[in-house]
Amino acid sequence: MADVFALETHAWPGGYGEEAQSRVGFFTDTSVCIGCKACEVACKEWNDVPEDGLEFTGESYDNTGALGADTWRHVAFIEQPTRVDGVQPGGDGGMRWLMSSDVCKHCTSAACLDVCPTGALFRTEFGTVVIQEDVCNGCGYCVSACPFGVIDRREGDGRAWKCTLCYDRLKDGQEPACAKACPTDSIQFGELDDLRERAQGRVAELRRAGVEEARLYGEDPADGVGGFGAFFLLLDEPETYGLPPDPVVTTRDLAGMYRTAALAAGAVLVSVAAAFAGGRR
C-alpha cells in the first residue's frame, strides 16, 4: 500500500517540515447521534454555506438528502424494524432510528488531489484536504474521482465545494464548528491516532453491552484509501448508511494505465515506422 499512497501523502508531514502539525480528524460515533442537526447548522453558519433542504422530501426527517456543495455535513435518518426492546433488527413490529452525520472523509490517499489540474485541492499541515475556491476552475474532475460522492459543484457558481474541516479554525487552535456544536459528542475531534484508540474502546464497550453489530468504518490505514481522516462507528453495514462497503482510491491504477498506454503508443510508432520503411523499398 505504501507505494500506492506515496503521491498523495508527500505534502504531509514531510512537505511542511517544521510547520507540520499532528494529523487531526473526526470520529463520528453514530450510536449517540440524536439527529438534532446542530452540526449541519453550525457548519453552514461558520462557513457561510448557502441554505438548502428547506423542502420536506416526504421520505424521512432527512430534508437535505445527501452531501453536496451546499451540504458539508449531512445527518441521515434511517428507520429499521426491530424487536420491541430495540436491540436486534427483524423482530415483532418495533422500530429504531439509525442516525449518522456524514462528512468528507479527508482520505489518506485522496483521488481528488491526484486529478486536480490547478492545485485548487491541497493537503494542509494538519493532514486534511481542502479546496481553494479562488483557484478552482470548475472542471469537475474531483467530483467524479471521489469514491464517496462527497464533492459537488455549486449551481450558478460552477466551482467545487466540500468540508474543509474548518481549516481557518484549526489554524487558530479551535475545533471545527460541527464538533463544537454537537450536544452528545457524537462528533469528536482530535489527533487521529488518539481518536482511533478511543473508537476501538467504544466498540468494545458497546459489544460488552450486547450491541454486536457495532463496527468501525474507515479507521484502518490498510484499507483502499489508506484510512479516513474522518471515520465512523456504525451500528449496521456501511451500505445501510449509503456508504461503499470497500472504498478504493479511484486513481489507484493510473500509473499502470499510463505505462500501458505508453507501451501501446510505442508499439504503434514502431509499426508505423516499419511500414513506412517497408513501403519505401
Side-chain angles (χ1 to χ4, degrees):
M1 284 293 186
D3 292 340
V4 174
F5 302 135
L7 176 63
E8 298 84 357
T9 59
H10 76 277
W12 183 91
Y16 280 95
E18 295 181 356
E19 295 181 2
Q21 305 294 315
S22 297
R23 188 178 180 189
V24 297
F26 290 128
F27 162 45
T28 300
D29 181 353
T30 69
S31 70
V32 294
C33 178
I34 59 174
C36 68
K37 291 183 176 282
C39 54
E40 286 192 17
V41 175
C43 175
K44 284 184 176 291
E45 288 185 341
W46 181 262
N47 295 292
D48 197 25
V49 178
E51 62 82 12
D52 69 327
L54 297 182
E55 296 183 5
F56 183 58
T57 65
E59 296 176 356
S60 75
Y61 292 107
D62 174 9
N63 62 324
T64 47
L67 292 172
D70 297 334
T71 304
W72 297 1
R73 269 278 179 189
H74 166 241
V75 179
F77 288 71
I78 301 162
E79 297 180 46
Q80 282 190 333
T82 70
R83 294 189 334 211
V84 171
D85 60 18
V87 176
Q88 295 179 356
D92 51 13
M95 188 269 289
R96 72 170 179 175
W97 286 103
L98 294 180
M99 299 173 183
S100 174
S101 181
D102 198 10
V103 72
C104 171
K105 313 307 181 287
H106 294 271
C107 305
T108 299
S109 180
C112 56
L113 285 175
D114 291 346
V115 301
C116 180
T118 66
L121 277 140
F122 75 103
R123 195 175 296 280
T124 74
E125 64 268 34
F126 301 99
T128 59
V129 179
V130 171
I131 300 176
Q132 302 170 92
E133 64 270 16
D134 57 335
V135 183
C136 177
N137 68 357
C139 69
Y141 293 163
C142 57
V143 176
S144 55
C146 176
F148 303 98
V150 166
I151 306 178
D152 187 25
R153 287 189 293 182
R154 185 169 292 166
E155 186 175 349
D157 179 307
R159 294 173 297 176
W161 301 82
K162 73 172 191 69
C163 162
T164 68
L165 221 145
C166 286
Y167 182 41
D168 53 344
R169 293 175 66 94
L170 297 187
K171 290 191 290 186
D172 286 337
Q174 301 180 65
E175 67 178 326
C178 57
K180 182 76 172 178
C182 182
T184 63
D185 281 338
S186 173
I187 301 171
Q188 300 178 34
F189 166 78
E191 294 187 11
L192 205 52
D193 289 340
D194 292 342
L195 291 177
R196 286 170 175 156
E197 183 176 351
R198 190 184 310 170
Q200 290 165 0
R202 176 61 177 158
V203 169
E205 177 185 356
L206 286 171
R207 287 179 175 171
R208 286 195 298 270
V211 187
E212 294 296 329
E213 62 267 33
R215 73 204 67 193
L216 295 180
Y217 176 72
E219 92 295 351
D220 185 3
D223 68 15
V225 296
F228 304 176
F231 64 97
F232 304 81
L233 186 156
L234 304 179
L235 296 180
D236 206 326
E237 298 290 342
E239 299 95 317
T240 301
Y241 298 84
L243 297 167
D246 189 19
V248 174
V249 59
T250 54
T251 54
R252 178 184 62 177
D253 299 322
L254 276 182
M257 292 168 63
Y258 289 150
R259 284 193 296 268
T260 301
L263 289 172
V268 170
L269 288 174
V270 169
S271 299
V272 170
F276 180 76
R280 294 191 62 178
R281 292 195 197 98

